[in-house]
Amino acid sequence: MKPLYEDLQDQCRTLRLAEAAKELPRILREAESKGWTYHELMHEFLHYEVRCRETKSRDKLMKWAEFPELLTLENFRLEEQTAIGAKQLNVLKELAWVEECFTLIMMGPTGVGKTHLSTALGIHAIERGHQVSFISMDRLMYVLKTKDYTAKSKTRYKRIVKSDLIIIDDVMYMAYEPQEAHLFFQFIYELYDQAAFILTSNKGPGEWGKFLGDPTLTTAILDRLLHRSEILTFSEEQNSIRMKYRQTLFTTTGVES
């Protein structure tokens, strides 16, 4: 005759409490050794299942987001840029802007922290249960052009359009063909009022028209993106953070010229 706890484990699995079922023997032993009440036992049992599900969900969302690097708010050097202050950062961390489908446009030269801040806010949003997608502008164009032909692009597109927050890096880094411009407009049109955006660019919105090649289309895109928006401008005078903290082969190995 098998132990009673194994019958309980089977019933837990039937109820899809798989993680708690695996830990049931440990939880029961701890309950006996510490003299837990029934209330404490049930709390620990169910709380363990919830924690495991939250961890699995967070791991899945992190995988789907496809961040190029794991950059956090804790490592963001707030004092080394002028685009945002501590109060504004605290407002962003509350994530009300995600629920209200705001657009954040981060403008500035390369290496000043735009991608770091956008990625860190994305990871912070995932930790709060939001689905996030991170994608470069050129990669997004590829996905939009191939989503009806390749399984990988189709899957990526479905995850993007289901996201609460979409981060598009290096917007208007290069000029686009008319077909690509129309695909981008359709993408923005479809997700207007459905998702929040973070766009990083070294070009201001006023310059986007010459990259899309269609002033009317550009106006329609900006009309939707800027309806509810905040523009964070990283100063042109700000030095590249990457260059300031760059590592070199010879100094790190003790070799000098």
Side-chain angles (χ1 to χ4, degrees):
M1 183 176 179
K2 63 181 181 180
L4 177 61
Y5 74 82
E6 291 187 7
D7 285 331
L8 293 174
Q9 285 179 305
D10 291 339
Q11 293 175 46
C12 288
R13 295 186 184 100
T14 299
L15 294 171
R16 304 195 179 199
L17 302 173
E19 297 301 325
K22 288 189 290 188
E23 284 296 299
L24 183 60
R26 176 194 64 80
I27 293 173
L28 289 175
R29 287 195 301 270
E30 191 169 353
E32 290 175 356
S33 65
K34 295 183 178 179
W36 286 352
T37 64
Y38 292 127
H39 175 84
E40 290 171 328
L41 172 60
M42 290 302 299
H43 178 271
E44 174 60 23
F45 176 77
L46 295 175
H47 191 55
Y48 181 84
E49 180 70 28
V50 170
R51 289 200 308 269
C52 289
R53 291 189 182 189
E54 288 176 345
T55 299
K56 282 188 173 182
S57 176
R58 185 165 56 248
D59 291 345
K60 180 180 70 174
L61 292 175
M62 285 293 293
K63 181 180 179 180
W64 286 359
E66 297 194 22
F67 294 113
E69 298 179 81
L70 298 181
L71 303 169
T72 65
L73 289 172
E74 288 72 18
N75 296 327
F76 180 66
R77 298 179 183 275
L78 189 64
E79 72 282 357
E80 295 190 355
Q81 49 75 51
T82 58
I84 188 171
K87 289 183 179 179
Q88 291 85 355
L89 183 59
N90 286 334
V91 170
L92 294 181
K93 288 166 68 174
E94 291 174 1
L95 299 177
W97 58 277
V98 173
E99 296 165 6
E100 295 170 5
C101 299
F102 262 71
T103 297
L104 300 183
I105 298 179
M106 301 186 186
M107 294 167 37
T110 299
V112 294
K114 304 187 303 296
T115 300
H116 187 149
L117 181 56
S118 62
T119 299
L121 287 171
I123 292 175
H124 180 67
I126 285 177
E127 291 171 345
R128 299 300 184 276
H130 292 288
Q131 183 168 335
V132 178
S133 287
F134 183 106
I135 192 167
S136 64
M137 181 75 169
D138 62 336
R139 185 65 185 174
L140 174 62
M141 287 299 191
Y142 174 80
V143 169
L144 295 178
K145 288 188 289 186
T146 61
K147 64 183 176 64
D148 294 327
Y149 310 105
T150 70
K152 187 173 182 181
S153 291
K154 183 178 182 179
T155 298
R156 186 80 200 278
Y157 178 76
K158 285 183 176 180
R159 289 174 181 171
I160 291 172
V161 297
K162 289 180 180 178
S163 296
D164 304 305
L165 170 61
I166 302 167
I167 304 169
I168 308 177
D169 202 31
D170 288 334
V171 172
M172 306 307 161
Y173 186 75
M174 56 184 288
Y176 297 96
E177 298 294 328
Q179 177 198 12
E180 294 173 319
H182 279 85
L183 285 172
F184 186 57
F185 168 73
Q186 291 169 5
F187 175 74
I188 297 300
Y189 181 83
E190 179 181 354
L191 291 169
Y192 174 64
D193 263 348
Q194 302 298 316
F197 286 91
I198 297 179
L199 310 179
T200 75
S201 180
N202 61 357
K203 306 291 190 302
E207 301 179 76
W208 290 5
K210 62 184 179 183
F211 291 90
L212 292 174
D214 187 329
T216 302
L217 198 62
T218 304
T219 299
I221 291 171
L222 290 175
D223 182 62
R224 287 160 177 79
L225 288 175
L226 299 179
H227 178 210
R228 289 182 297 272
S229 66
E230 193 69 46
I231 297 177
L232 307 180
T233 304
F234 291 74
S235 173
E236 293 287 343
E237 286 73 36
Q238 182 180 329
N239 294 324
S240 169
I241 296 173
R242 293 194 193 99
M243 291 303 294
K244 182 176 180 180
Y245 293 98
R246 74 186 182 97
Q247 297 180 355
T248 61
L249 174 63
F250 296 140
T251 56
T252 55
T253 57
V255 178
E256 297 181 0
S257 59

